[in-house]
Amino acid sequence: MGSTFTRRQFVMGAMVLGGSLALTGCSPKPESKKQDGASGATEPVQADIIVIGSGLAGSACSISAAQNGASVLLVDKAPFLTSTFLTSKGNVSIAQVPENKDEWCFEPETPDTMDQFVSRYRNLTEIGKVDAPYPDYSRMQRMMEESCATIAWVEQMGITCEKSFTKEMVGTDTVKPDVSADPATEAGVQVANAFAAEFERLGVRTMLSTEAKELIMDGDDVVGVKVEGPDGVQELRAKAVVLATGGFGGSAEYCDQLVPAINEMGFQYLGNAMNTGDGMTMASAIGAALYEDPWVIPNVIMPTRTLTKADAGFKKLCDTGMEGAATSSKMLVDSTGARFVNEAAPVTALATSMTDNQAGPYYVLFDSSNAEVVAVIEKGLSTGDVLKGVSIEELADAAGAPQLAATFEAYQQAAAAGADEAFGKKADMLAAYGDGPFYLVKFVPSYVATMGGVKTDASCQALGENGSVIPGLFAVGEATHRFMYNRSFVRQRPHHGSSDGSGAGHGVTTRSSLARRPDPLPGLRLRLPAVKHASTIPALSSHRTIEIRTRLSRHRAR
């Protein structure tokens, strides 16, 4: 246990998980210790706590519980641990406010208060907002008050963090792991290696390539889980089960059911293909409530699935791709050829506008000024998702887009004037088009994670349909983080678990209802971060870190 992946092992893992893992480094692969009674055993495997899922949320929970004396069994259906944040950049948002001044990570440029932080957060959540009871600002605030303490906890494992962004730049002060000693290895991989070493030091048992199938009940209490893995079907028993199983982006069935636009419009999923809503399935089967109004965490807008399958080069036609391909400086139009949004707006505004307008298909207009970009686009002509015209008028006829020519003329005039009166795009993003031929390339939103999951209270304890807690069952990370957002992903901290999407550090100390259970785990505190993505790149963003304590203590948990 504690060794790292070879390149071949990492590549094989990426193949299993889908295209979401870039080959940027190696991942720790602790040996899956054979459990007592694993093969042919009649007695179930026992632990104080079973954690299902080894993303940032599950890994941090496992480590914190073990640090506080619990015996922990960490189960993952992937063949290796920490799969969800290996390619993370590690950006984590923090709230450096007077309440946590002793643990500030760096001296902020200007003073901040929690009220100011919440106000900025609230403004960001207005983007694409729908009538839903989220975010839970009180819960978010409690988590952010602990954000600096969580960074301090991570640094105790040998991970040094440095300033990444400031609140003046992105809305929250942000830190990331210092990778200067090994710049070739992604921050997420370095964090994973540190976690693997801590698993080994603390004796956290792991079961890999093992899928959780069904929660085990004793009356109204969850007391374990049935799993299936290399040793067949087994029963695992514990005083508490923590669902850290990620979201539902890898399940076409859940996507159809919960966010129909995903498959109706053909959203591109760039997250972990093994995130198939397993925690939701198991929890709802025993009466747990699921969050209403699920949504996604958008990444960039990009060419359709048809185009990226036709040629991988189409994946680079986006704001984070090849030179000359940035869509934020181009026209995004609906099926009539009309603009409908500021193309340089936050990606949430693009994704929600494209979804809500119901005026697709949507296209980005390209000219022929960049030969490398044109070479890629030409490869899609046979698919029907790319249209070409020597002139804008010819292209408009080919697309059946009656407003395209007028839209193009207005855009060229706005670029020349440096003022977009229609949608407010800033002058530095108003790039005039060059010569034809011109191309309309069909675009869709992409996403890296989902917003939804099992309803939980402030202790991350699962709730039943009647609102009462389900003893023995908890959920963390993407498996429950719907309460953090409306439809706008706001930068938070070490992923609830990823990155990746907007990283912001939230921490919250809550007292778990386990303290009221018979035979409580003495003094136990579980630190439960959530996984996200930071900015436009999948990154380790701890949506939040939640500490669950099973015994009341006289001092504030850190």
Side-chain angles (χ1 to χ4, degrees):
M1 190 168 142
S3 61
T4 57
F5 258 163
T6 64
R7 171 69 53 169
R8 174 177 172 76
Q9 288 169 325
F10 185 76
V11 171
M12 292 305 293
M15 291 172 63
V16 170
L17 296 171
S20 57
L21 299 184
L23 304 182
T24 53
C26 298
S27 154
K29 186 184 181 183
E31 291 180 14
S32 184
K33 290 186 176 181
K34 192 167 185 178
Q35 306 302 317
D36 294 337
S39 183
T42 56
E43 293 298 321
V45 178
Q46 299 281 348
D48 288 332
I49 294 175
I50 296 168
V51 179
I52 305 172
S54 68
L56 184 53
S59 293
C61 172
S62 299
I63 289 171
S64 184
Q67 286 174 344
N68 286 278
S71 65
V72 179
L73 179 56
L74 179 58
V75 178
D76 201 307
K77 67 179 180 181
F80 53 90
L81 296 174
T82 65
S83 60
T84 55
F85 63 97
L86 295 176
T87 58
S88 165
K89 301 296 181 183
N91 287 298
V92 173
S93 295
I94 53 176
Q96 300 193 117
V97 293
E99 291 87 340
N100 59 21
K101 183 172 175 52
D102 291 344
E103 290 165 325
W104 283 3
C105 300
F106 60 86
E107 194 66 30
E109 293 181 9
T110 56
D112 201 7
T113 66
M114 185 54 70
D115 285 346
Q116 292 171 336
F117 182 94
V118 172
S119 178
R120 294 194 302 273
Y121 193 103
R122 189 181 297 273
N123 289 339
L124 289 170
T125 63
E126 291 296 316
I127 300 173
K129 186 176 180 180
V130 294
D131 184 15
Y134 320 117
D136 181 335
Y137 290 104
S138 175
R139 193 168 171 185
M140 177 278 294
Q141 179 176 332
R142 293 174 67 190
M143 287 167 35
M144 288 308 300
E145 287 171 352
E146 294 295 329
S147 57
C148 292
T150 297
I151 297 301
W153 176 77
V154 171
E155 289 187 326
Q156 291 173 6
M157 286 177 265
I159 301 166
T160 301
C161 292
E162 62 179 356
K163 179 167 68 174
S164 179
F165 302 106
T166 66
K167 62 182 178 295
E168 291 76 16
M169 298 166 63
V170 298
T172 64
D173 287 332
T174 306
V175 297
K176 65 180 180 180
D178 180 0
V179 298
S180 57
D182 184 11
T185 303
E186 289 282 7
V189 174
Q190 296 192 27
V191 172
N193 284 332
F195 279 8
E198 196 71 357
F199 290 151
E200 183 174 13
R201 185 183 74 81
L202 296 168
V204 173
R205 292 176 291 167
T206 60
M207 296 179 70
L208 305 180
S209 299
T210 301
E211 185 171 2
K213 294 289 191 179
E214 179 185 348
L215 294 170
I216 300 172
M217 305 292 292
D218 182 2
D220 294 330
D221 295 12
V222 172
V223 296
V225 61
K226 291 181 181 178
V227 301
E228 185 173 357
D231 296 309
V233 176
Q234 296 177 256
E235 285 192 4
L236 313 179
R237 299 289 182 124
K239 297 182 178 73
V241 174
V242 180
L243 301 175
T245 48
F248 57 85
S251 167
E253 182 178 353
Y254 267 132
C255 288
D256 282 339
Q257 175 187 339
L258 301 176
V259 188
I262 289 175
N263 289 326
E264 290 173 358
M265 293 177 59
F267 284 28
Q268 291 262 34
Y269 179 49
L270 306 180
N272 188 338
M274 297 187 79
N275 283 356
T276 53
D278 299 353
M280 297 164 57
T281 300
M282 291 186 291
S284 60
I286 64 162
L290 303 181
Y291 283 107
E292 301 88 1
D293 303 301
W295 182 236
V296 301
I297 294 178
N299 189 23
V300 294
I301 61 169
M302 64 186 295
T304 61
R305 300 172 189 175
T306 297
L307 290 172
T308 55
K309 287 178 181 177
D311 190 274
F314 278 100
K315 296 177 182 178
K316 299 179 181 180
L317 298 189
C318 64
D319 271 357
T320 57
M322 61 200 295
E323 184 177 352
T327 58
S328 55
S329 60
K330 295 179 173 55
M331 282 171 43
L332 173 66
V333 299
D334 62 21
S335 61
T336 71
R339 292 177 67 209
F340 57 94
V341 70
N342 176 349
E343 297 88 348
V347 66
T348 295
L350 303 184
T352 54
S353 294
M354 294 170 78
T355 302
D356 297 344
N357 284 356
Q358 297 184 342
Y362 300 100
Y363 299 93
V364 171
L365 178 68
F366 290 85
D367 59 23
S368 293
S369 59
N370 186 300
E372 187 179 1
V373 171
V374 169
V376 173
I377 293 175
E378 286 278 342
K379 296 176 182 178
L381 286 171
S382 63
T383 67
D385 283 2
V386 173
L387 301 170
K388 179 180 181 180
V390 174
S391 66
I392 286 295
E393 291 75 17
E394 181 179 312
L395 182 59
D397 288 341
Q403 299 188 60
L404 182 61
T407 300
F408 177 78
E409 180 61 26
Y411 191 85
Q412 292 291 76
Q413 292 177 3
D420 176 23
E421 295 182 1
F423 296 99
K425 184 186 286 191
K426 292 182 179 179
D428 60 349
M429 301 304 294
L430 283 169
Y433 280 91
D435 296 332
F438 296 97
Y439 302 86
L440 284 176
V441 180
K442 192 178 292 186
F443 267 64
V444 296
S446 70
Y447 67 109
V448 291
T450 55
M451 299 179 185
V454 180
K455 277 190 179 180
T456 53
D457 64 9
S459 301
C460 281
Q461 189 154 14
L463 300 176
E465 293 286 359
N466 62 1
S468 63
V469 298
I470 299 176
L473 183 63
F474 296 80
V476 297
E478 195 182 342
T480 188
H481 69 179
R482 181 69 183 96
F483 70 91
M484 289 295 301
Y485 316 104
N486 191 279
R487 285 202 297 178
S488 180
F489 181 75
V490 184
R491 281 188 151 250
Q492 316 318 286
R493 142 188 125 198
H495 231 208
H496 213 194
S498 172
S499 83
D500 94 40
S502 322
H506 326 153
V508 103
T509 301
T510 60
R511 297 175 187 244
S512 163
S513 62
L514 285 178
R516 298 189 292 274
R517 289 169 57 78
D519 246 1
L521 309 179
L524 177 62
R525 234 173 54 191
L526 308 185
R527 186 177 295 268
L528 309 177
V531 180
K532 282 189 170 190
H533 314 76
S535 193
T536 54
I537 2 183
L540 170 68
S541 58
S542 68
H543 287 181
R544 73 175 185 253
T545 293
I546 299 170
E547 295 179 0
I548 295 181
R549 282 207 252 108
T550 58
R551 217 187 223 331
L552 309 182
S553 78
R554 293 186 176 85
H555 61 82
R556 183 182 183 186
R558 292 271 305 274

